[in-house]
């Protein structure tokens, strides 16, 4: 009896094991393989019915990734959702969703719950919801309770509403009414009557206080000017509020991050900015608040209203902290205090607008703000919008992605036409992290002064004398720091009371070349487009011979994100008249929809007169009447009809001009004055837009001989698109070009030329010529930051009938350059960027 039973038992085990294996195999074979383009999974895109659909928070919890989205101003809820994403990247829309404008998240350790937006999730993924009826407002931050952190939590809203919540019952106590409620009740005519500024962002507690930040200012003036007083950093001791600093601040956190600080003596960090530079604040229990400054890679985040800056974060990723601010990824040290402030350095610049990020399943996941239906204050004509329904997505990357995006070139100021008091040190400005460093100094007063520089070599708050510069009244100069000049922070003070500028411009070695990455194989080049009919403004495209016998046409293809919850991209081939749609699975199929086809044709036609080659450069005149000149990549683009500008990430413009892509801030963030080039190519990209978090390009060969996975071809084989991410544009090739402010131009003595873009390029030179029979001197003046503050750089003497060739030093960096002649002449000045 024993052996048969044993055999039966073994057979049963074998049967069960085989069944498990079969089930696992069946499960694996039925696992959905989702398409992915440069880290974007189109099926994960989320939509809403409002003017913007941003990512408020992304948090790994209970074997899932949790995501909340937000609408622009919905203190009482919206159609935004709470999303649960499985390890297999299946997306679940939670039925508990109530929407709103949430960006708050914290893991409460004692109760083992994730608080994210208005939702509370336990470790079994059970969800409870905080009601907007009892806790109204745009939930922006969560903090550990000051006196009972085990049982209670603090919640802040964007309009300075504050609540004390029981983590078990979720019963709230209103500490301060939300500004939306106060306005509704007629108590206040301002969104934030409690604290200066509005548009709350960060909230965190420690050292016996809760710290709250906001990054905006109310009123019409704030929508137009970027350099007025705005925002605030404040703290609350449980009884009263204290305003710490009147500047725009966003993130507030500490070493405890999303869990809150373990030790009450741990530091509290906050990041913010003013129109001059990024501000890094640290609070220590014994010293209080201290401040440091960093340069800006992108100025698109500026704006006194605060709308252009979506929740920059400092968050632990892997074994280190990552900081996002003004378009730069920064390494941030976990031990940052005034006595141990080393370890901050730039990692790379980026184009995406990032609301939150985290590490999940060995990936760095960014929650983005991609495609807003409402351009808000970034209206640049009807062509600037790209979608009739707001949508965004997650961006999955490697942990080292921040080191492999754009160059870290950046600029920032300590003084800009500021009144500088004698012997008063400036805030420290970061000094390490770049190979090339310039300081531009101007004495705008009638007083003579000596500017003293000091260095904190090790980041321990010990300062020593470094350099000094004698400044005559109404004079300017620059310092080209040597690579051997070592130190973590630099600061300056003056020997006398003056009005002064002090701007730092930093650059790295651009390791890119001019050859596009293979991911762009299959996009048409400008040399493949025939000459157009100038008289009738008709653009014709000839058949192109590929691989000997295969012939096909290059078509004008227009792109538009559809509305009405269709969640598809409309694609119109204007040459054939055929209309297609790109769906969530990235299938491109012909559709019969004459109304959409007509809408795209009539409303999204390609610009032909937006910009022009004027003399020797591209001339742009902005809405304020300011004149700007840009280099061109190739004059062949003058014969092409291509999309010039579009907003592909919210509240900033992607500009495509003569082969070069540029990032342009909204006009309320100073617009073209703060433009930066991204990359240059010979591609004839017909149209570009944002769709499901991706960058979509048309102007692609329908045949795909290289089998490039980034190319999607229509079912009928007549139309093709390229799909990737906007930060792939860094891989097209480093910015190059040529041009100048004068071309056989009549120039007047001491009258400056138009500003000409020189920043972010590499290997720069100038050729200058004049018609005078005598030698003529020309002054080169520099605006390093785009703020309209000019500094004398160098004087050049040009002999008659000679072309003077001037090579700029390696690593020279500033944003704008202009030329001032010292005599009336006819002159030509051409800059070459190789």
């Amino acid at each position: 009896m024993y052996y048969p039973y044993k055999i039966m038992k073994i057979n049963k085990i074998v049967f069960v094991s085989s069944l498990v294996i079969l089930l696992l195999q069946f499960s694996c074979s039925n696992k959905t393989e989702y398409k992915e383009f440069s880290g974007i999974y189109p099926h994960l895109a989320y939509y809403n019915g409002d003017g913007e659909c941003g990512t408020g928070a992304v948090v790994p919890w209970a074997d899932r990734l949790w995501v909340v989205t937000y609408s622009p101003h919905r203190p009482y809820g919206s159609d935004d959702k709470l999303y649960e994403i499985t390890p297999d990247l299946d997306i679940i829309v939670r039925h508990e969703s109530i929407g709103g404008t949430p960006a708050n998240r914290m893991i409460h350790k004692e109760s083992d719950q994730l608080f994210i937006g208005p939702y509370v999730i336990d470790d079994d993924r059970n969800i409870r919801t905080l009601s907007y009826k009892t806790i109204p407002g745009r939930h922006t931050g969560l903090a550990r309770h000051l006196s009972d952190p085990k049982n209670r939590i603090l919640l802040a809203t964007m309009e300075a509403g504050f609540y004390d919540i029981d983590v078990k019952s979720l019963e709230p106590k209103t500490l301060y009414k939300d500004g939306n409620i106060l306005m509704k009740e007629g108590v206040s005519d301002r969104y934030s009557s409690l604290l200066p500024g509005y548009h709350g962002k960060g909230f965190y507690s420690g050292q016996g206080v809760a710290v709250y930040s906001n990054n905006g200012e109310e009123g019409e003036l704030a929508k137009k000017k970027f350099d007025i007083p705005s925002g605030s950093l404040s703290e609350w001791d449980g009884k009263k509020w204290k305003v710490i600093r009147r500047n725009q601040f966003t993130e507030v956190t500490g070493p405890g991050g999303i869990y809150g600080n373990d030790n009450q003596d741990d530091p509290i960090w906050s990041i913010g900015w003013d129109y001059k530079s990024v501000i890094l604040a640290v609070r220590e229990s014994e010293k209080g608040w201290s401040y440091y400054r960093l340069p800006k890679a992108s100025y698109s985040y500026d704006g006194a209203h605060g709308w252009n800056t979506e929740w920059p974060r400092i968050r632990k990723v892997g074994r280190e902290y990552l900081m996002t601010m003004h378009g730069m990824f920064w390494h941030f040290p976990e031990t940052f205090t005034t006595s141990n402030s080393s370890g901050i350095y730039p990692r790379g610049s980026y184009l995406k607008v990032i609301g939150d990020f985290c590490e999940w399943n060995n990936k760095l996941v960014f929650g983005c703000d991609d495609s807003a239906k409402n351009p808000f204050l970034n209206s640049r004509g009807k062509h600037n919008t790209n979608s009739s329904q707001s949508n965004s997505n997650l961006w999955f990357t490697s942990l080292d992605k921040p080191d492999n995006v754009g160059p870290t070139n950046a600029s920032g100021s300590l003084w800009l036409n500021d009144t500088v008091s004698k012997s008063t040190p400036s805030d420290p400005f970061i000094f390490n992290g770049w190979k090339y460093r310039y300081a531009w100094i101007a004495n705008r007063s009638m007083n003579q002064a000596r500017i003293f520089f000091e260095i904190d070599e090790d980041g321990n708050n010990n300062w020593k004398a470094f350099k000094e510069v004698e400044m005559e009244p109404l004079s300017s100069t620059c310092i080209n720091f040597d690579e051997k000049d070592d130190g973590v922070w630099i600061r300056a003070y003056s020997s006398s009371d003056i009005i002064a500028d002090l701007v730092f411009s930093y650059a790295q070695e651009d390791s890119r070349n001019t050859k596009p990455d293979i991911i762009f194989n299959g996009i048409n080049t400008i040399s493949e487009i025939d000459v157009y009919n100038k008289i009738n403004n008709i653009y014709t495209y000839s058949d192109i011979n590929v691989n000997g016998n295969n012939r096909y046409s290059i078509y004008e293809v227009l792109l538009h994100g559809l509305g009405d919850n269709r969640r598809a991209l409309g694609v119109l081939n204007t040459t054939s008249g055929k209309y297609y749609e790109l769906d969530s699975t990235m299938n491109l199929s012909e559709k019969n929809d004459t109304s959409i086809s007509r809408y795209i044709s009539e409303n999204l036609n390609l610009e032909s007169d937006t910009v022009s080659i004027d003399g020797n450069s591209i001339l742009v005149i902005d809405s304020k009447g300011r004149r700007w000149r840009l280099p061109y990549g190739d004059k062949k683009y003058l014969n092409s009809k291509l999309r010039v500008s579009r907003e592909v990430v919210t509240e900033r413009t992607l500009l495509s001009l003569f082969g070069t892509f540029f990032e342009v801030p909204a006009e309320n963030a100073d617009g073209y004055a703060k433009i930066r080039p991204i990359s240059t190519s010979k591609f004839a990209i017909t149209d570009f837009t944002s769709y499901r978090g991706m960058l979509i390009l048309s102007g692609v060969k329908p045949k795909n001989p290289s089998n490039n996975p980034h190319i999607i071809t229509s079912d009928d084989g007549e139309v093709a698109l390229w799909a990737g991410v906007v930060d792939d544009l860094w891989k097209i090739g480093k910015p190059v070009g040529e041009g100048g402010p004068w071309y056989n131009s009549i120039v007047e003595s001491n009258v400056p030329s138009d500003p000409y873009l020189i920043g972010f390029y590499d290997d720069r030179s100038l050729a200058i010529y004049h018609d005078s029979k005598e030698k003529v001197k020309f002054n080169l003046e520099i605006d390093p930051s785009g703020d309209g503050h000019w500094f004398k750089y160098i004087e050049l003497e040009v002999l008659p009938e000679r072309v003077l060739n001037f090579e700029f030093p390696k690593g020279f960096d500033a944003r704008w350059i202009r030329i001032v002649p010292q005599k009336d002449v006819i002159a030509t000045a051409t800059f070459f960027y190789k």
Side-chain angles (χ1 to χ4, degrees):
M1 294 290 295
Y2 174 75
Y3 291 104
Y5 173 76
K6 188 173 183 180
I7 292 171
M8 288 174 62
K9 188 174 182 180
I10 292 172
N11 288 338
K12 185 176 180 180
I13 292 173
V14 170
F15 172 77
V16 172
S17 300
S18 301
L19 182 61
V20 170
I21 291 171
L22 286 172
L23 288 173
L24 285 172
Q25 289 176 340
F26 179 80
S27 175
C28 290
S29 65
N30 284 272
K31 177 184 173 182
T32 304
E33 294 293 333
Y34 294 112
K35 292 182 179 179
E36 173 262 338
F37 298 86
S38 298
I40 304 291
Y41 292 87
H43 77 283
L44 292 180
Y46 24 81
Y47 287 72
N48 66 17
D50 221 308
E52 179 184 12
C53 182
T55 311
V58 290
V59 182
W61 177 253
D63 195 34
R64 297 288 191 270
L65 184 66
W66 300 88
V67 182
V68 288
T69 66
Y70 62 83
S71 292
H73 195 112
R74 293 291 178 261
Y76 308 110
S78 68
D79 65 348
D80 288 275
K81 308 299 182 185
L82 169 67
Y83 298 93
E84 176 185 353
I85 299 174
T86 72
D88 291 334
L89 297 184
D90 298 325
I91 185 167
I92 302 167
V93 181
R94 295 299 304 222
H95 67 86
E96 299 90 346
S97 301
I98 61 172
T101 311
N104 54 313
R105 72 283 193 278
M106 193 180 88
I107 295 173
H108 187 256
K109 294 175 289 188
E110 290 86 349
S111 65
D112 209 15
Q113 296 180 110
L114 166 64
F115 286 73
I116 181 171
Y119 314 104
V120 185
I121 309 170
D122 68 19
D123 57 357
D124 290 323
R125 300 195 292 277
N126 298 308
I127 298 175
R128 295 184 292 165
T129 304
L130 302 172
S131 172
Y132 285 123
K133 292 181 179 179
T134 56
I135 311 178
R138 301 194 287 172
H139 299 181
T140 192
L142 293 160
R144 289 183 63 79
H145 200 272
L146 297 183
S147 59
D148 189 9
K150 181 179 179 181
N151 299 302
R152 308 193 70 82
I153 195 171
L154 297 174
L155 184 149
T157 72
M158 293 182 69
E159 279 73 43
F162 296 92
Y163 302 95
D164 182 330
I165 302 170
D166 186 294
V167 298
K168 296 176 183 176
S169 68
L170 302 187
E171 288 295 321
K173 295 179 182 178
T174 300
L175 300 173
Y176 298 91
K177 281 189 177 181
D178 178 80
N180 294 282
I181 301 299
L182 294 175
M183 290 186 71
K184 192 175 182 180
E185 295 175 348
V187 177
S188 172
D189 60 353
R190 295 181 62 243
Y191 279 122
S192 180
S193 57
L194 180 65
L195 299 167
Y198 95 120
H199 208 244
K201 288 292 180 179
F203 191 47
Y204 204 75
S205 65
Q207 303 173 33
V209 297
V211 181
Y212 175 78
S213 68
N214 68 60
N215 76 330
E217 200 71 18
E218 294 183 74
E220 289 303 310
L221 187 61
K223 296 177 183 178
K224 299 174 182 177
K225 295 183 69 64
F226 63 93
D227 55 357
I228 64 172
S230 176
S232 63
L233 182 67
S234 306
E235 62 182 40
W236 182 64
D237 64 3
K239 296 179 181 179
K240 61 182 180 180
W241 282 96
K242 178 182 178 182
V243 177
I244 303 302
R245 182 157 174 159
R246 187 78 160 94
N247 283 117
Q248 296 170 273
F249 283 91
T250 54
E251 171 76 300
V252 185
T253 189
I258 197 169
Y259 294 91
N261 283 353
D262 286 327
N263 190 325
Q264 279 296 301
D265 290 328
D266 282 346
I268 297 175
W269 309 313
S270 183
I271 47 177
W273 83 95
D274 60 12
Y275 62 94
K276 293 181 286 191
S277 48
V278 170
I279 303 171
L280 170 61
V282 57
R283 189 187 200 277
E284 298 168 272
S285 57
E286 297 296 326
K287 297 181 180 179
W289 288 96
S290 302
Y291 305 94
Y292 298 81
R293 286 188 177 260
L294 310 169
K296 300 173 183 178
S298 169
Y299 283 73
S300 294
Y301 296 79
D302 284 1
H305 46 69
W307 301 354
N308 298 339
T309 304
E310 297 301 352
W311 285 280
R313 308 283 195 184
I314 300 173
R315 193 163 183 184
K316 196 165 190 177
V317 175
R319 297 181 178 180
E320 58 188 21
Y321 281 73
L322 176 66
M323 180 172 80
T324 56
M325 192 62 179
H326 271 63
M328 186 83 85
F329 290 125
W330 295 86
H331 178 272
F332 191 87
E334 184 175 4
T335 56
F336 183 81
T337 60
T338 54
S339 59
N340 192 12
S341 61
S342 64
I344 296 179
Y345 58 83
R347 298 183 62 181
S349 58
Y350 58 91
L351 301 170
K352 278 279 195 182
V353 172
I354 297 170
D356 196 12
F357 57 88
C358 66
E359 181 187 359
W360 188 58
N361 290 346
N362 297 316
K363 290 286 187 179
L364 179 52
V365 185
F366 297 103
C368 304
D369 191 349
D370 293 309
S371 186
K373 175 183 176 181
N374 188 344
F376 300 101
L377 302 177
N378 190 34
S379 296
R380 284 194 168 99
K382 64 181 180 180
H383 306 292
N384 199 48
T385 56
N386 65 78
S387 180
S388 291
Q389 186 171 4
S390 302
N391 62 92
S392 292
N393 207 335
L394 302 171
W395 181 25
F396 291 78
T397 76
S398 61
L399 294 175
D400 64 351
K401 185 63 177 180
D403 303 305
N404 297 285
V405 279
T408 60
N409 296 29
S411 64
S413 307
L414 284 173
W415 306 324
L416 270 183
N417 205 36
D418 286 338
T419 299
V420 178
S421 299
K422 175 182 178 180
S423 301
T424 302
S426 67
D427 287 337
F429 198 93
I430 196 167
F431 194 58
N432 68 287
W434 291 266
K435 184 175 183 178
Y436 306 112
R437 297 165 295 180
Y438 277 76
W440 301 90
I441 316 162
N443 179 4
R444 309 292 184 188
S445 72
M446 298 303 296
N447 296 334
Q448 187 166 351
R450 180 166 292 185
I451 306 299
F452 296 92
F453 289 92
E454 295 181 327
I455 284 288
D456 179 358
E457 287 186 322
D458 301 312
N460 55 13
N461 209 28
N462 291 323
W463 294 89
K464 74 172 190 177
F466 176 48
K467 289 182 184 292
E468 57 184 74
V469 180
E470 192 73 36
M471 299 295 298
E472 297 296 324
L474 304 178
S475 68
S476 63
T477 189
C478 73
I479 300 175
N480 181 4
F481 295 106
D482 192 275
E483 285 186 53
K484 297 178 182 178
D485 290 336
D486 197 19
V488 177
W489 303 97
I490 188 170
R491 70 182 185 185
Y493 65 92
S494 172
S495 64
S496 57
D497 296 341
I498 57 170
I499 297 173
D501 295 345
L502 177 54
V503 184
F504 293 93
S505 187
Y506 295 156
Q508 72 171 66
E509 192 90 49
D510 196 337
S511 60
R512 296 176 293 171
N513 56 37
T514 58
K515 184 179 179 180
D517 191 279
I518 60 173
I519 65 172
F520 297 103
N521 285 353
I523 300 178
N524 295 317
T525 63
I526 194 63
S527 62
E528 292 173 312
I529 298 181
D530 281 349
V531 177
Y532 71 107
N533 186 323
K534 293 184 179 180
I535 297 176
N536 297 310
N537 202 33
I538 297 173
Y539 299 79
T540 59
Y541 307 90
S542 68
D543 288 346
I544 307 300
N545 195 319
V546 176
N547 296 331
N549 299 314
N550 298 325
R551 298 175 69 82
Y552 56 88
S553 296
I554 298 174
Y555 297 120
E556 182 183 289
V557 177
L558 305 182
L559 310 171
H560 178 62
L562 304 181
D564 300 322
N565 215 31
R566 294 173 68 166
R567 304 191 178 198
L569 182 70
V571 180
L572 177 64
N573 182 335
T574 62
T575 306
S576 69
K578 289 186 177 182
Y579 170 73
Y580 303 78
E581 289 185 5
L582 183 66
D583 63 21
S584 63
T585 61
M586 301 300 282
N587 290 317
L588 184 60
S589 306
E590 185 181 358
K591 303 289 182 181
N592 182 19
D593 194 326
T594 56
S595 61
I596 292 295
S597 177
R598 187 182 305 112
Y599 173 85
I600 295 174
S601 178
E602 294 176 356
N603 294 278
L604 296 168
N605 54 295
L606 298 174
E607 308 97 320
S608 57
D609 300 319
T610 304
V611 296
S612 62
I613 289 284
D614 179 78
N616 199 25
S617 57
I618 303 170
L619 175 64
V620 177
I621 302 176
D622 67 19
S623 61
K624 300 175 183 177
R626 299 179 297 182
R627 297 166 61 89
W628 310 101
R629 291 186 179 268
L630 311 173
Y632 59 85
D634 194 322
K635 283 189 177 180
K636 289 180 182 177
Y637 286 94
L638 191 62
N639 304 332
S640 307
K641 196 173 182 182
L642 309 171
R643 178 75 66 201
V644 172
S645 67
R646 223 166 195 184
E647 182 183 284
V648 300
V649 292
T650 182
E651 295 173 293
R652 54 270 288 145
T653 297
L654 182 64
L655 190 68
S656 178
L657 288 179
F658 293 81
T660 300
F661 276 110
F662 299 88
E663 178 198 54
V664 187
E667 286 297 315
N668 59 86
D670 215 15
Y672 284 95
K674 306 296 174 59
I675 191 174
R676 66 167 171 167
I678 301 164
S679 55
T680 303
S681 73
K682 299 290 185 181
F683 291 139
I685 295 168
T686 310
D687 202 357
F688 52 91
T689 193
S690 172
Y691 174 61
R692 292 179 170 266
M694 296 173 290
L695 175 68
I696 304 294
L697 307 177
S698 68
V700 180
K701 301 178 179 69
K703 302 296 182 181
N704 185 15
S706 63
N707 294 317
N708 185 351
H710 287 267
I711 292 179
I712 302 101
T713 304
S714 61
D715 293 343
D716 60 11
E718 292 189 12
V719 172
L721 303 174
W722 182 93
V725 69
V726 65
D727 280 278
D728 283 336
L729 293 179
W730 301 110
K731 301 177 182 179
I732 283 183
K734 71 175 182 178
V736 297
E738 65 179 78
W742 299 330
Y743 182 73
N744 290 332
S745 303
I746 299 173
V747 300
E748 299 179 29
S749 176
N750 295 316
V751 177
S753 70
D754 290 335
Y756 185 83
L757 187 67
I758 194 170
F760 303 91
Y761 289 94
D762 191 24
D763 193 6
R764 289 161 284 199
S765 62
L766 165 65
I768 189 166
Y769 171 83
H770 63 78
D771 70 340
S772 176
K773 300 300 182 182
E774 301 175 354
K775 62 183 179 183
V776 178
K777 293 181 179 180
F778 297 85
N779 289 331
L780 301 188
E781 294 184 344
I782 295 297
D783 177 358
S785 61
D787 287 290
H789 294 239
W790 292 93
F791 302 77
K792 183 178 179 180
Y793 173 52
I794 196 171
E795 182 181 85
L796 300 177
E797 186 175 81
V798 183
L799 299 176
E801 299 181 353
R802 296 286 183 90
V803 176
L804 175 68
N805 293 297
F806 175 74
E807 298 282 340
F808 288 88
K810 190 70 175 175
F812 167 88
D813 207 47
R815 196 172 299 265
W816 298 98
I817 189 168
R818 69 183 185 186
I819 308 173
V820 184
Q822 297 184 18
K823 185 177 181 179
D824 295 352
V825 290
I826 295 176
T828 296
T830 305
F831 292 87
F832 300 92
Y833 306 151
K834 300 178 181 179

